[in-house]
Every structure is written in structure tokens, then in C-alpha cells.
């Protein structure tokens, strides 16, 4: 356990030195603020910069607070946020493998399990920190500009959507143990996550267990006040996949390093 804590502290220090602890939370806060602010000032933006014919009247229905916060999750965080997480995690292990640093560390004796899981835990902590600050900013500006929404639903939606972001981070970390090229890690991770999200959206009845369903569950909770079907299955499968990916990553990483 002491060995794991040392590795985790090292990972946290590396994130500070690489400025991930600064630019990732700032980026998520910006994403969280942009959706409610843009939605609120959209009529003025169209009026001043839309190049509409003179005398045009712009009538855009004012969205509810729940709709705005749901749009932040399904829009800003689902697109730009996903890309940020992949880019931040793609070199987590791959870069140290290609540079030879991983071999030097593992010679000490540091177990493969401690090395991989400490990095994974650090990445998850950074993911939740950045996402949490971004979500808090989105919630604050949404309630300030559009009115209040049930706090219980907002908190539950936060944790549900966080499971999907945790899955993205886990997939990228696992692939980073298998591939040395960081560009390949990013490409395969994005294709995997996008394909899963797209197929889940097109086949909701067949893929109700998919981790990508947590996006729908969080949005439905905000807009309709209830969770979608097969929630228990998606929760169970997500937990098993998170553990399974990391166990497989450690085993594959150990085999590659020993050979």
C-alpha cells in the first residue's frame, strides 16, 4: 500500500508539473459557463451578428433551467469534454513506455498493478475534479439566468454522467498500456467511445446496458425527473467494465514489458 501511495503522489506531482491540474479544470469551467450564457444571449447574438433582414422579429422560446443544464451535458461535455479527456489521458503510460521511463520505474521494485492503477486513479481524480468544477459553474449560471431546478436531480445527474466520463478515461488509460504511440491511443479511444455512444443511441433497446446510456439517464433525470429503462444493468455493466479494463491492462502491460 505504501508503494501505491508513493506512485499516486508521483502521478499527482506530474499532473501539477504538466499543468493538467490547471488547464483541465479551467477548460471544463469554460465549457460549463458557455452553454447557459450562450442560450441566454442567443437572441441578442442573432440580432446583432446574424445579418437578418431589417425589421425581422426574433422570437426564441426561453428554455427551462433543466433543459439548459441537460444541453450542457449532451453538448459541451459530450463533445469537447470527451476530446479533452482522451487527449489528457492518451500519454499516461504510452509516453513513459516509449521514453523508457516505465522500465526504469518497474526495475525498482514497483509492481505493475501499483504502477498502472496509481496512474488510473490519478486520471480519474483529475477527471472528476475538472468535471465537478465545470458542472458547478454550469449549474450556477443556469440557475442564475434561467431559474432554479430540483437540487436532488442535479446532484444525481452529476454522478450518473460522471460514470460515463470515468469510462472514457478508463478506456484511454487501458489503451495507453497496450500502445506506445500516443496518437494511436487517442485515435482508437475516440473511435471506441464514439462508436459505443452512436450505437447506443441508434439501438437503445438492444444496448440498454451500455455505459453510454448514463448520458441519457442524466439528461432524462434533469428534463423528466426520472431515470431511463435498464438503469441497473447499465450501472452494473459499467462497474464491471471499469474493473475489467484495468485488470486486462495490467496483465497486457506486464506481458509486454516482460517480453
Amino acid at each position: 500500500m505504501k508503494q501505491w501511495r508513493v506512485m499516486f503522489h508521483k502521478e499527482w506531482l506530474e499532473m501539477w508539473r504538466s499543468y493538467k491540474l490547471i488547464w483541465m479544470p479551467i477548460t471544463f469551467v469554460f465549457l460549463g459557463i458557455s452553454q447557459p450564457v450562450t442560450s441566454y444571449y442567443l437572441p441578442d447574438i442573432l440580432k446583432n451578428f446574424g445579418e437578418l433582414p431589417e425589421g425581422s422579429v426574433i422570437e426564441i422560446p426561453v428554455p427551462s433551467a433543466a433543459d439548459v443544464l441537460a444541453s450542457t451535458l449532451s453538448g459541451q461535455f459530450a463533445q469537447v469534454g470527451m476530446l479533452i479527456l482522451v487527449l489528457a489521458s492518451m500519454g499516461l503510460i504510452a509516453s513513459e513506455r516509449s521514453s523508457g521511463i516505465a522500465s526504469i520505474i518497474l526495475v525498482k521494485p514497483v509492481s505493475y498493478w501499483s504502477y498502472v492503477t496509481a496512474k488510473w486513479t490519478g486520471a480519474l481524480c483529475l477527471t472528476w475534479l475538472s468535471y465537478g468544477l465545470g458542472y458547478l459553474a454550469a449549474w450556477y449560471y443556469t440557475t442564475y439566468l434561467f431559474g432554479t431546478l430540483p437540487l436532488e436531480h442535479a446532484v444525481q445527474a452529476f454522478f450518473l454522467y460522471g460514470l460515463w466520463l470515468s469510462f472514457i478515461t478508463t478506456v484511454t488509460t487501458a489503451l495507453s498500456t497496450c500502445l506506445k504511440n500516443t496518437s494511436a491511443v487517442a485515435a482508437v479511444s475516440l473511435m471506441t467511445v464514439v462508436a459505443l455512444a452512436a450505437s447506443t443511441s441508434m439501438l437503445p433497446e438492444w444496448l440498454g446496458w451500455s455505459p453510454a446510456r448514463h448520458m441519457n439517464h442524466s439528461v432524462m433525470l434533469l428534463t423528466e425527473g426520472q431515470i431511463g429503462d435498464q438503469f441497473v444493468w447499465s450501472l452494473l455493466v459499467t462497474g464491471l467494465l471499469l474493473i475489467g479494463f484495468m485488470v486486462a491492462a495490467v496483465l497486457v502491460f506486464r506481458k509486454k514489458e516482460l517480453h
Side-chain angles (χ1 to χ4, degrees):
M1 192 63 184
K2 181 179 179 180
Q3 182 186 91
W4 189 91
R5 288 198 301 267
V6 171
M7 294 303 302
F8 179 76
H9 181 266
K10 170 190 171 297
E11 184 60 26
W12 202 253
L13 188 61
E14 286 295 325
M15 290 190 295
W16 175 256
R17 289 174 175 173
S18 62
Y19 302 106
K20 285 184 182 180
L21 282 173
I22 299 176
W23 68 263
M24 269 192 66
I26 291 177
T27 304
F28 268 87
V29 168
F30 174 77
L31 293 176
I33 293 174
S34 61
Q35 184 67 40
V37 170
T38 301
S39 299
Y40 186 79
Y41 290 104
L42 183 58
D44 294 331
I45 294 173
L46 293 176
K47 180 179 180 180
N48 295 319
F49 303 102
E51 297 183 357
L52 297 175
E54 186 176 353
S56 299
V57 178
I58 303 175
E59 294 184 358
I60 300 178
V62 178
S64 65
D67 289 332
V68 173
L69 190 56
S71 297
T72 304
L73 295 179
S74 60
Q76 300 290 349
F77 289 166
Q79 298 171 14
V80 183
M82 176 182 67
L83 180 61
I84 291 171
L85 292 181
V86 170
L87 293 177
S89 305
M90 65 182 185
L92 207 60
I93 297 175
S95 59
E96 291 192 356
R97 286 186 62 206
S98 60
S99 64
I101 296 177
S103 300
I104 296 174
I105 294 175
L106 293 169
V107 165
K108 297 192 165 183
V110 174
S111 69
Y112 291 89
W113 180 259
S114 295
Y115 179 76
V116 174
T117 57
K119 284 186 169 294
W120 173 56
T121 306
L124 285 181
C125 289
L126 180 60
T127 296
W128 280 90
L129 173 64
S130 303
Y131 163 59
L133 292 175
Y135 190 89
L136 182 62
W139 173 82
Y140 173 79
Y141 276 91
T142 296
T143 55
Y144 180 76
L145 296 173
F146 295 95
T148 59
L149 68 160
L151 181 60
E152 180 182 359
H153 292 166
V155 173
Q156 291 174 348
F158 166 75
F159 285 107
L160 287 178
Y161 197 84
L163 291 175
W164 170 241
L165 297 184
S166 298
F167 179 79
I168 296 174
T169 300
T170 301
V171 169
T172 308
T173 303
L175 288 171
S176 186
T177 65
C178 303
L179 304 171
K180 285 187 177 182
N181 189 296
T182 54
S183 298
V185 173
V188 177
S189 299
L190 286 174
M191 287 190 294
T192 301
V193 173
V194 171
L196 180 61
S199 58
T200 301
S201 178
M202 292 186 292
L203 302 170
E205 295 183 359
W206 290 87
L207 297 175
W209 48 265
S210 170
R213 284 286 293 169
H214 290 299
M215 289 191 292
N216 304 95
H217 292 319
S218 59
V219 170
M220 287 185 62
L221 191 59
L222 289 171
T223 57
E224 302 177 20
Q226 61 183 3
I227 298 174
D229 298 332
Q230 301 185 38
F231 166 71
V232 176
W233 276 111
S234 62
L235 185 63
L236 179 61
V237 170
T238 300
L240 291 175
L241 286 176
L242 292 181
I243 298 172
F245 270 122
M246 294 318 301
V247 171
V250 172
L251 295 176
V252 172
F253 182 57
R254 179 183 179 85
K255 183 177 180 180
K256 285 181 174 291
E257 288 299 310
L258 290 177
H259 294 81

